Amino acid sequence: QVHLVESGGGSVQAGGSLRLSCAASGDIYNNNCMGWFRQAPGKEREGVATIYTGGGSPYYADAVKGRFTISQDNAKATLYLQMNSLKPEDTAMYYCAARLRHPYPLPCTPGYGEYNWGEGTLVTISS
């Protein structure tokens, strides 16, 4: 079981920046696939960015490419999401996720495997 706690959400104006953090504890294994997902009101949850904690190229949704950066500090067991040039359409609840162990390798992109989830942190962008 993995316990994930997000922080860093808030309200900013369009064009601003926020940095989300996710503190992880519990059954974190080497080269885990972790990521950020978001769910806007009335919409389905979508993957924003994912990364293997052991390194490698991250995945970004097209809507956030060039504006968001996912990173991790393995020593602190913390995942980050730096969000720049924020837009009103980025308004959503943002969730940190750590993929459960799987018997064979899977791509570290949304849609593969099952995840442990945090409680979420709300991001609100005003125009």
Side-chain angles (χ1 to χ4, degrees):
Q1 186 75 15
V2 176
H3 186 56
L4 304 169
V5 179
E6 302 96 335
S7 61
S11 298
V12 298
Q13 289 189 325
S17 298
L18 284 172
R19 187 196 194 203
L20 305 184
S21 298
C22 171
S25 61
D27 186 21
I28 302 294
Y29 58 95
N30 290 335
N31 207 28
N32 193 3
C33 177
M34 296 187 67
W36 291 94
F37 293 71
R38 68 186 182 185
Q39 186 166 19
K43 295 187 177 181
E44 293 187 355
R45 185 163 54 191
E46 62 176 353
V48 174
T50 54
I51 191 170
Y52 275 119
T53 58
S57 298
Y59 159 89
Y60 294 101
D62 288 342
V64 307
K65 281 181 181 177
R67 301 188 297 121
F68 290 11
T69 303
I70 188 172
S71 62
Q72 77 273 13
D73 185 334
N74 291 336
K76 295 181 179 179
T78 301
L79 187 72
Y80 302 100
L81 185 68
Q82 178 67 43
M83 306 186 296
N84 299 328
S85 302
L86 284 160
K87 304 175 182 180
E89 50 264 44
D90 294 318
T91 294
M93 185 71 80
Y94 282 72
Y95 298 91
C96 176
R99 195 160 68 191
L100 300 176
R101 294 178 187 266
H102 199 271
Y104 53 85
L106 293 173
C108 185
T109 55
Y112 290 92
E114 297 182 5
Y115 288 83
N116 282 306
W117 299 95
E119 294 294 320
T121 186
L122 183 63
V123 171
T124 304
I125 311 303
S126 58
S127 57

